């Protein structure tokens, strides 16, 4: 494998300006990530605070007990208990077969930054990946894209529950999920590695019950040799640790919401759209009844908290009582999850995607109101994987990889199509259509009103026939030039699929199935720089 750095802008303007630490975006955060001493400064700030490291490490150890083990994981748990330790943390939803590649990129980023800073700071830095098991957006995680009949096809496992149940509570049917996995791998194609890869997946399938467990087992198995710790945000033991912090969130509800709205106003004044949807009375917590997450808001006239659609009502004291009795009845939203993370973890850095950078920028005043500073927000590694066969096609077509990743191949495909299509036939068809329109306009002018619908229908019939002729001609040209056209399509499918970044469509198991179990290790041995630049890996 070879690693190359190329210039590809972030997917949103806010994130691009943040990566370059340009104003006004820079002012919406507490740390300058371009400062060479930013992590020393953050470590100093962390050492002024107290964290329940032992309790946190024990909670994570208990959660990970049922997943694959390694000496490196045990070492990370011991490090986390040390008074001078810190963590590099990030998270994602529990996608099937790990979901899109950006989840893997985020994990790689967490592990590499933790290792780099541990060596630089001379202090223990632990990589932690939190799983958004409390999330309820099932349709975001229930599918994988594959190549089918020369196009990308979404293969969905099931439509899932119709309620807003937490993903951690979704138990799968093993036979049904096994059939879905086999269907996915049929599209990937059988290789010398398929049997071993499928055996590992089957083990995860049989050792798990929920979709989050299945995801966790795979992630831990893939990265156990790198000391990655994993925790589900919906874990019941973690909820117990969060009780005093949920109390603070309830007590400081209005101050937190007002702070976010003030920060959003500052951001809007600088012509950026708001990333967080928040009402002026938001509690920024969900009440979970075991079947559905209900977002709560404060209602002044009733002096209590109601579901957004009026499903439930609680006084503050009732909420606090429920919290004591059943902490799992509460879960965080996009505002309070980062704040909860700050209470729980001695966070040296948070690894974020472009969208996360945008919503973190709206939380600065909320953090300050709680006497915190946001951790350094480090953009995750953006990676494109380039297969040798695709690179060979690109070289033959004289295509620039950076341009393809940035813009796709629509312009190049059009130029090639223009070079092979039958211009004379197309001209004659267009001239015939124009002639018919002229003639039929004259007929309309001379015909009785009762004939007008027939005249219009007759014109439409002839135009449709000419369109049909053009389509058939194009199909014949496509078939004659199929090899070359498919080259363009194959390149675009890998590097700019459906007009999106590769990392949002492709799944890691396509590559593991093709290149083997050591593929992750090969990627992990590369030396990455967190410079905001796009990483191209030539396989």
């Amino acid at each position: 494998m070879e690693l190359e750095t190329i210039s590809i802008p972030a997917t949103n303007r806010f994130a691009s300006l943040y990566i370059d630490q340009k104003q006004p975006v820079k002012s919406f955060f507490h740390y300058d990530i371009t400062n060479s001493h930013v992590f020393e400064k953050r470590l100093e700030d962390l050492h002024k605070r107290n964290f329940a490291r032992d309790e946190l490490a024990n909670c994570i150890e208990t959660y990970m007990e049922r997943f694959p083990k390694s000496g490196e994981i045990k070492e990370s748990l011991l490090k986390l208990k040390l008074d001078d330790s810190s963590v590099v943390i990030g998270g994602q939803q529990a996608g099937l077969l790990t979901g899109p590649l950006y989840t893997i990129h985020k994990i790689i980023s967490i592990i590499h930054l933790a290792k780099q800073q541990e060596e630089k700071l001379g202090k223990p830095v632990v990589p932690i990946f939190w799983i958004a098991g409390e999330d309820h957006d099932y349709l975001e995680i229930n599918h994988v894209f594959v190549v089918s009949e020369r196009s990308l096809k979404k293969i969905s496992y099931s439509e899932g529950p119709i309620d807003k149940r937490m993903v951690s509570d979704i138990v799968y049917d093993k036979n049904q999920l096994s059939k879905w996995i086999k269907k996915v791998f049929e599209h990937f194609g059988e290789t010398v590695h398929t049997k071993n890869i499928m055996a590992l997946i089957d083990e995860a399938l049989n050792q798990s019950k929920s979709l989050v467990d299945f995801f966790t087992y795979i992630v831990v198995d893939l990265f156990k040799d790198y000391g990655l710790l994993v925790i589900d945000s919906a874990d019941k033991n973690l909820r117990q640790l969060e009780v005093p912090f949920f109390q603070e969130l309830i007590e400081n509800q209005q101050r937190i919401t007002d702070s976010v709205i003030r920060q959003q106003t500052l951001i809007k004044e600088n012509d950026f759209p708001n990333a967080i949807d928040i009402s002026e009375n938001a509690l920024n917590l969900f009440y979970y009844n075991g079947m559905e997450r209900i977002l709560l808001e404060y209602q002044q006239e009733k002096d209590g908290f109601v579901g957004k659609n009026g499903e439930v009502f609680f006084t503050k004291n009732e909420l606090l009582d429920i919290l004591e009795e059943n902490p799992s009845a509460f879960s965080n939203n996009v505002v309070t999850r980062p704040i909860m993370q700050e209470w729980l973890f001695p966070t040296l850095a948070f690894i974020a995607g472009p969208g996360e950078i945008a919503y973190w920028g709206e939380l600065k005043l909320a953090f300050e109101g709680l006497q915190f500073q946001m951790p350094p927000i480090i953009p995750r590694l953006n990676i494109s994987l380039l297969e040798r066969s695709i690179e060979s096609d690109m070289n033959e077509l004289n295509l620039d990889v950076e341009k393809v990743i940035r813009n796709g191949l629509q312009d190049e495909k059009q130029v090639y199509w223009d070079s092979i299509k039958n211009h004379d036939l197309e001209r004659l068809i267009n001239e015939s259509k124009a002639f018919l329109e002229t003639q039929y306009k004259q007929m309309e002018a001379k015909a009785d009103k009762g004939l007008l619908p027939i005249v219009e229908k007759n014109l439409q019939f002839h135009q449709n026939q000419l369109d049909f002729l053009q389509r058939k001609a194009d199909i014949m040209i496509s078939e004659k030039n199929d090899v070359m056209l498919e080259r363009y399509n194959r390149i675009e499918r890998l590097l700019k699929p459906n007009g999106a970044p590769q990392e949002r469509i492709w799944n890691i198991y396509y590559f593991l199935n093709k290149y083997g179990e050591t593929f992750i290790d090969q990627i992990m041995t590369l030396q990455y720089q967190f410079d905001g630049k796009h990483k191209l890996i030539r396989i």
Side-chain angles (χ1 to χ4, degrees):
M1 285 188 178
E2 298 173 8
L3 177 64
E4 179 183 335
T5 297
I6 57 179
S7 294
I8 305 291
T11 52
N12 67 61
R13 186 169 67 97
F14 189 95
S16 291
L17 292 171
Y18 176 75
I19 290 169
D20 294 332
Q21 288 291 280
K22 297 282 185 65
Q23 296 291 9
V25 172
K26 179 181 177 180
S27 66
F28 302 144
F29 297 83
H30 286 113
Y31 293 93
D32 179 354
I33 61 171
T34 61
N35 188 309
S36 60
H37 300 290
V38 62
F39 295 114
E40 287 95 327
K41 176 65 171 65
R42 175 62 176 177
L43 203 58
E44 289 176 9
D45 294 340
L46 289 176
H47 286 163
K48 298 172 186 175
R49 297 169 51 198
N50 295 314
F51 297 91
R53 287 180 169 84
D54 283 349
E55 293 86 345
L56 182 61
N58 291 336
C59 175
I60 295 174
E61 184 174 19
T62 300
Y63 176 73
M64 295 187 70
E65 185 63 33
R66 61 189 185 274
F67 303 114
K69 298 172 178 58
S70 72
E72 290 80 5
I73 289 175
K74 186 176 182 179
E75 184 180 354
S76 288
L77 289 166
L78 293 173
K79 285 181 182 178
L80 186 56
K81 294 182 179 182
L82 299 175
D83 290 340
D84 59 349
S85 68
S86 61
V87 308
V88 173
I89 193 169
Q92 203 64 50
Q93 292 169 291
L96 285 177
L97 295 177
T98 74
L101 278 171
Y102 57 69
T103 297
I104 300 299
H105 298 169
K106 187 169 284 186
I107 294 170
I108 293 170
S109 304
I110 292 167
I111 294 170
H112 270 272
L113 185 62
K115 181 181 178 183
Q116 289 175 16
Q117 291 308 313
E118 182 170 276
E119 293 173 354
K120 182 179 178 183
L121 298 170
K123 301 289 184 181
V125 182
V126 181
I128 297 182
F129 184 80
W130 59 262
I131 304 161
E134 62 191 2
D135 199 273
H136 58 257
D137 197 349
Y138 174 75
L139 295 180
E140 286 282 326
I141 67 164
N142 75 332
H143 59 271
V144 165
F145 282 93
V146 298
V147 177
S148 177
E149 298 179 352
R150 296 186 171 185
S151 65
L152 288 162
K153 179 182 179 182
K154 181 192 286 189
I155 305 291
S156 297
Y157 162 54
S158 75
E159 294 305 313
I162 60 174
D163 51 40
K164 294 182 179 179
R165 193 178 313 175
M166 294 196 304
V167 175
S168 283
D169 288 344
I170 299 177
V171 177
Y172 57 79
D173 180 289
K174 289 187 179 181
N175 289 330
Q176 184 181 359
L177 186 53
S178 180
K179 289 178 181 177
W180 176 84
I181 292 167
K182 288 176 181 175
K183 185 177 180 181
V184 169
F185 272 79
E186 284 173 6
H187 287 284
F188 287 161
E190 186 168 357
T191 70
V192 295
H193 306 292
T194 303
K195 186 176 179 180
N196 288 339
I197 297 294
M198 287 291 288
L200 293 172
I201 293 174
D202 286 342
E203 183 179 344
L205 190 68
N206 292 323
Q207 295 293 324
S208 307
K209 291 183 179 180
S210 73
L211 292 180
V212 168
D213 284 349
F214 182 52
F215 172 89
T216 305
Y217 197 104
I218 289 174
V219 165
V220 173
D221 193 51
L222 290 176
F223 293 97
K224 62 182 181 295
D225 294 338
Y226 303 95
L228 180 71
L229 300 186
V230 178
I231 186 67
D232 177 7
S233 62
D235 178 64
K236 287 180 169 52
N237 292 323
L238 186 66
R239 281 285 183 268
Q240 290 290 339
L241 294 182
E242 292 175 340
V243 167
F245 308 130
F246 276 126
Q247 290 171 343
E248 291 227 25
L249 292 173
I250 293 170
E251 294 289 352
N252 291 285
Q253 166 260 329
Q254 199 60 58
R255 181 167 53 158
I256 292 170
T257 293
D258 290 346
S259 296
V260 174
I261 291 173
R262 287 202 309 275
Q263 185 74 16
Q264 286 185 326
T265 300
L266 292 173
I267 289 173
K268 286 181 73 173
E269 287 173 354
N270 286 278
D271 297 322
F272 295 103
N274 289 150
I276 298 174
D277 181 17
I278 185 172
S279 70
E280 61 182 14
N281 295 310
L283 176 59
N284 299 302
L285 292 177
F286 288 96
Y287 171 74
Y288 185 52
N289 61 14
M291 297 294 290
E292 186 171 7
R293 295 171 83 212
I294 302 169
L295 192 61
L296 298 176
E297 294 182 348
Y298 177 71
Q299 198 170 82
Q300 188 171 9
E301 54 270 29
K302 291 185 177 181
D303 191 24
F305 297 90
V306 299
K308 205 167 186 181
N309 298 315
E311 307 99 317
V312 294
F313 173 80
F314 305 103
T315 65
K316 182 196 285 187
N317 288 334
E318 286 173 337
L319 274 186
L320 294 172
D321 288 342
I322 295 170
L323 178 61
E324 287 293 334
E325 295 170 9
N326 182 22
S328 293
F330 294 86
S331 65
N332 296 291
N333 80 338
V334 67
V335 171
T336 54
R337 198 216 58 76
I339 294 171
M340 184 65 76
Q341 174 184 288
E342 188 64 21
W343 268 314
L344 289 170
F345 296 92
T347 305
L348 183 70
F350 178 76
I351 298 293
E356 289 172 304
I357 291 171
Y359 80 68
W360 272 81
E362 298 179 8
L363 302 178
K364 182 180 181 182
L365 293 178
F367 269 71
E368 290 178 356
L370 295 168
Q371 308 303 310
F372 291 149
Q373 287 189 316
M374 290 189 293
I377 309 301
I378 305 301
R380 65 166 167 77
L381 296 170
N382 288 292
I383 300 170
S384 290
L385 300 170
L386 177 59
E387 296 184 275
R388 292 294 181 184
S389 60
I390 299 298
E391 184 173 24
S392 177
D393 286 340
M394 294 180 67
N395 290 337
E396 288 188 33
L397 297 174
N398 197 29
L399 296 173
D400 179 68
V401 64
E402 186 173 317
K403 186 177 179 183
V404 174
I405 293 173
R406 184 192 294 257
N407 302 318
L409 281 175
Q410 287 301 312
D411 291 344
E412 288 80 0
K413 286 194 292 185
Q414 187 61 52
V415 168
Y416 177 71
W417 179 254
D418 288 341
S419 72
I420 61 174
K421 70 180 182 181
N422 190 329
H423 291 275
D424 291 335
L425 179 60
E426 183 176 335
R427 175 179 55 78
L428 289 170
I429 289 173
N430 289 333
E431 288 175 355
S432 298
K433 290 172 74 173
F435 175 75
L436 282 171
E437 286 180 7
T438 301
Q439 293 298 101
Y440 271 85
K441 280 183 180 179
Q442 294 181 29
M443 291 183 199
E444 288 175 352
K446 301 295 184 181
D448 293 333
K449 286 185 178 180
L451 285 176
L452 290 180
I454 299 174
V455 172
E456 292 174 2
K457 186 175 181 180
N458 201 255
L459 172 61
Q460 189 63 53
F461 171 80
H462 288 296
Q463 288 177 327
N464 289 341
Q465 288 297 303
L466 289 169
D467 288 338
F468 174 76
L469 177 60
Q470 182 67 66
R471 287 195 300 272
K472 292 298 287 185
D474 290 345
I475 289 171
M476 292 181 68
I477 294 170
S478 296
E479 290 174 346
K480 288 179 181 178
N481 296 274
D482 176 70
V483 173
M484 187 63 74
L485 287 170
E486 177 55 16
R487 277 188 178 178
Y488 282 101
N489 292 333
R490 192 165 59 243
I491 293 166
E492 194 165 46
R493 276 200 305 272
L494 180 71
L495 295 176
K496 194 73 170 179
N498 292 345
Q502 180 193 77
E503 63 181 15
R504 294 192 171 276
I505 301 295
W506 285 88
N507 177 270
I508 189 63
Y509 273 98
Y510 164 80
F511 298 96
L512 290 173
N513 182 60
K514 192 168 184 178
Y515 299 105
E517 300 165 61
T518 63
F519 185 75
I520 290 289
D521 294 328
Q522 293 176 57
I523 288 180
M524 291 299 292
T525 59
L526 298 173
Q527 298 301 308
Y528 301 95
Q529 297 297 318
F530 290 86
D531 52 10
K533 304 290 186 181
H534 197 92
K535 312 303 177 189
L536 177 70
I537 297 177
R538 302 175 191 274
I539 303 172

